[in-house]
């Protein structure tokens, strides 16, 4: 996801504002700032753009997930339902709080299957966390219904789908809490950064305090602030926030370019009868940061990926054998390889990973290819790529 591709004067200007007054920290130093509060400003602009009451910027998307969970009071021994296709950050963030990741199947949306979620709920389930992978989304209506019926928190991880909407609402603004990554390879970037989104005043206050050592942020004397509860340091710096500010203002431009390029590729591949595209839930509008489609079987997908590589068609993945995004290769999680002892509850809670199989997810991930959509392609490059992709897939299928 290509925020890093279009990067220039606007970002430089915001960063220079910070460098000129020298206040790199987001809190305090009021007298020296010359009115520059980049993190605060980015939070306000995120709130407006993503139509949510509160945005709390933090140091990373992984931190945002942990903070969102902690803000809702989720911790030791609690179960959090998450998909088997995501990024390793999902289980890392859950386990950091001593909670238990419960991994469940995805469906043809490439995100959480609501039926599998229902089956995985136990007395210990405190949250369901859909991860809106590769620019599209989970069936949020179905998940919201399940969560409301069972009194469970819904936390959206929309790190890979900023700019996408569901029934007219920006992703991340629909669940009880939303999480964004703003790292270097997301659609818009701060270099490193993340955000917790919520309409809930209490969760917002918790996120604000928890991400800064429990500081209550009341008054103008940081040293005199009290600590209603324990926190940590997950602050973002002003420099990172400054970059994000310029990038957020270009989000619509980025999505429009992606949509144009995506449409050319999709049109070309639509002419191949063996190809089906990932399902986008009704009422959903993608961010167009990836084009994801299914081939008839794993063997064909592997052959196509290899042929793409050989022909210089970059940025396409079949995640079946991927180390970061799919459960099959998460050996360190399955073997519980941590630097420090885990609680007995977490060890017990993760035993299922030794035996549980995910046949339905294997079926979708094995046949899936997801291709990154770049912003920097010229019209001729997109057309050339579409032609090459069509030819390679057609040849492999014959
Ligand atoms: C879906 C998802 N969630 C969370 C993260 C973690 O974000 P960060 O790298 O900012 O910690 C990522 C990063 O790739 C991601 O793709």
């Amino acid at each position: 996801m290509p925020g890093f591709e279009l990067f220039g004067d606007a970002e430089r200007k915001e960063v220079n504002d910070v460098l000129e007054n020298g206040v790199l920290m987001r809190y305090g130093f009021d007298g020296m700032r010359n009115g520059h509060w980049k993190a605060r400003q980015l939070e306000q602009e995120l709130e407006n753009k993503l139509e949510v009451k509160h945005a709390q910027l933090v140091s990373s998307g992984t931190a945002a997930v942990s903070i969102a969970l902690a803000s809702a009071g989720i911790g030791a021994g609690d179960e959090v339902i998450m998909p088997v296709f995501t990024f390793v950050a999902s289980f890392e963030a859950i386990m950091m709080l001593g909670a238990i990741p419960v991994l469940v199947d995805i469906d043809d949306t490439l995100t959480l299957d609501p039926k599998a979620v229902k089956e995985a709920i136990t007395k210990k389930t405190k949250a369901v966390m859909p991860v809106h992978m590769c620019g599209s989304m989970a069936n949020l209506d179905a998940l919201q219904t399940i969560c409301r019926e069972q009194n469970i928190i819904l936390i959206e991880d929309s790190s890979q789908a900023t700019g996408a909407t569901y029934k007219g609402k920006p992703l991340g603004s629909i669940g009880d809490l939303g999480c964004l990554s703003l790292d270097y390879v997301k659609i818009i970037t701060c270099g490193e950064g993340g955000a917790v989104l919520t309409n809930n005043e209490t969760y917002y206050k918790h996120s604000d305090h928890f991400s800064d050592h429990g500081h209550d942020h009341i008054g103008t004397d940081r040293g005199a602030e009290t600590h209603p509860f324990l926190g940590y340091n997950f602050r973002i710096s002003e420099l990172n926030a400054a970059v994000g500010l310029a990038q957020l203002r270009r989000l619509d431009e980025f999505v429009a370019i992606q949509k144009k390029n995506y449409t050319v590729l999709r049109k070309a591949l639509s002419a191949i009868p063996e190809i089906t595209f990932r399902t986008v839930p009704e009422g959903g509008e993608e961010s167009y940061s990836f084009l994801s489609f299914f081939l008839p079987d794993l063997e064909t997908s592997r052959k196509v990926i290899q042929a793409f590589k050989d022909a210089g068609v970059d940025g396409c993945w079949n995640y079946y054998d991927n180390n970061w995004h799919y459960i099959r290769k998460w050996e360190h999680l399955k073997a519980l390889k941590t630097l420090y002892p885990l609680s007995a509850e977490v060890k017990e809670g993760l035993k299922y990973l030794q035996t549980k199989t995910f046949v339905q997810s294997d079926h979708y991930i094995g046949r899936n290819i997801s291709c990154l959509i770049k912003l920097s392609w010229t019209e001729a490059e997109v057309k050339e790529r579409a032609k090459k992709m069509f030819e390679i897939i057609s040849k492999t299928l014959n």
Side-chain angles (χ1 to χ4, degrees):
M1 288 147 284
F4 67 88
E5 283 184 273
L6 290 188
F7 199 87
D9 289 347
E11 287 78 3
R12 256 189 300 279
K13 187 219 163 269
E14 296 298 329
V15 171
N16 281 337
D17 283 349
V18 177
L19 290 175
E20 274 158 23
N21 67 39
V23 181
L24 308 190
M25 186 171 174
R26 68 158 300 177
Y27 296 115
F29 301 93
D30 300 24
M32 292 164 61
R33 290 181 174 272
N34 295 323
H36 295 307
W37 296 87
K38 298 298 180 187
R40 217 185 259 182
Q41 202 179 342
L42 178 52
E43 285 168 350
Q44 281 165 6
E45 293 197 20
L46 276 170
E47 287 161 6
N48 292 338
K49 187 79 201 156
L50 300 181
E51 298 171 27
V52 73
K53 275 195 193 143
H54 303 289
Q56 175 66 39
L57 278 175
V58 294
S59 50
S60 71
T62 313
V65 178
S66 284
I67 295 164
L69 291 163
S71 298
I74 293 162
D78 292 336
E79 290 179 359
V80 178
I81 293 178
M82 56 164 273
V84 289
F85 175 50
T86 175
F87 179 60
V88 288
S90 304
F91 60 77
E92 291 169 355
I94 295 166
M95 289 178 71
M96 213 192 76
L97 299 170
I100 301 163
V102 175
L103 276 61
V104 311
D105 269 320
I106 56 150
D107 59 21
D108 60 359
T109 63
L110 295 177
T111 66
L112 271 183
D113 174 8
K115 194 167 149 282
V117 168
K118 233 176 179 170
E119 284 163 7
I121 290 173
T122 72
K123 278 192 204 130
K124 289 183 173 182
T125 309
K126 291 287 161 52
V128 172
M129 184 166 69
V131 183
H132 304 308
M133 287 298 280
C134 303
S136 184
M137 71 224 66
N139 183 339
L140 284 167
D141 272 358
L143 294 176
Q144 216 160 26
T145 302
I146 296 169
C147 287
R148 282 190 185 139
E149 278 170 9
Q150 306 277 344
N151 201 20
I152 291 169
I153 304 273
L154 180 65
I155 300 182
E156 292 173 76
D157 181 344
S158 53
S159 296
Q160 293 202 7
T162 308
T165 56
Y166 178 70
K167 304 206 166 165
K169 289 187 187 162
L171 294 188
S173 72
I174 297 160
D176 297 286
L177 290 135
C179 305
L180 293 186
S181 166
L182 297 161
D183 74 19
Y184 192 51
V185 288
K186 294 302 178 290
I187 180 166
I188 52 168
T189 182
C190 283
E192 295 286 359
V196 179
L197 311 173
T198 185
N199 289 309
N200 179 305
E201 195 68 31
T202 305
Y203 297 159
Y204 163 62
K205 268 197 181 149
H206 288 173
S207 301
D208 169 87
H209 301 5
F210 186 71
S211 56
D212 185 26
H213 304 293
H215 274 262
D216 63 12
H217 298 142
I218 294 173
T220 51
D221 179 358
R222 191 166 160 78
E225 289 174 13
T226 64
H227 305 90
F229 48 79
L230 292 171
Y232 296 93
N233 177 4
F234 295 115
R235 289 188 306 260
I236 193 164
S237 85
E238 283 288 274
L239 286 171
N240 292 97
V243 175
L245 203 47
Q247 290 260 298
L248 179 63
R249 291 171 185 159
R250 306 177 74 184
L251 178 60
D252 291 344
E253 175 197 341
F254 292 172
V255 171
I257 300 171
Q258 286 179 171
K259 185 171 181 176
K260 188 162 64 83
N261 293 344
Y262 168 109
T263 307
V264 174
L265 298 182
R266 180 161 177 152
K267 197 166 165 229
L269 299 196
S270 298
I272 303 173
E274 290 88 345
I275 283 189
T276 52
F277 293 93
R278 94 173 302 160
T279 297
V280 176
E282 203 188 322
E285 167 101 26
E286 300 180 63
S287 71
Y288 304 100
S289 45
F290 285 84
L291 176 64
S292 299
F293 55 91
F294 300 107
L295 288 163
D297 51 50
L298 172 63
E299 203 194 339
T300 310
S301 300
R302 282 181 169 149
K303 279 187 192 157
V304 167
I305 284 289
Q306 189 55 51
F308 278 175
K309 275 190 189 141
D310 296 343
V313 178
D314 62 348
C316 295
W317 292 275
N318 169 262
Y319 290 107
Y320 193 73
D321 298 319
N322 184 282
N323 288 340
W324 288 5
H325 292 288
Y326 191 51
I327 185 168
R328 285 187 68 253
K329 291 288 183 92
W330 294 340
E331 296 307 334
H332 63 315
L333 172 67
K334 292 180 215 167
L336 300 183
K337 286 191 182 164
T338 53
L339 288 178
Y340 47 84
L342 289 172
S343 74
E345 261 175 322
V346 170
K347 280 189 190 160
E348 183 60 32
L350 286 176
K351 268 192 182 156
Y352 73 95
L353 286 175
Q354 303 306 317
T355 49
K356 193 164 162 62
T357 53
F358 296 94
V359 179
Q360 177 176 307
S361 302
D362 286 347
H363 170 74
Y364 290 116
I365 291 295
R367 297 184 303 121
N368 167 242
I369 290 183
S370 286
C371 295
L372 187 67
I373 304 294
K374 286 199 184 166
L375 298 172
S376 52
W377 292 330
T378 63
E379 220 173 303
E381 281 170 338
V382 184
K383 279 192 188 148
E384 175 61 20
R385 171 173 278 256
K387 189 167 159 277
K388 267 193 196 170
M389 287 172 76
F390 175 85
E391 283 168 5
I392 288 168
I393 297 171
S394 304
K395 197 171 155 209
T396 311
L397 285 166
N398 288 324

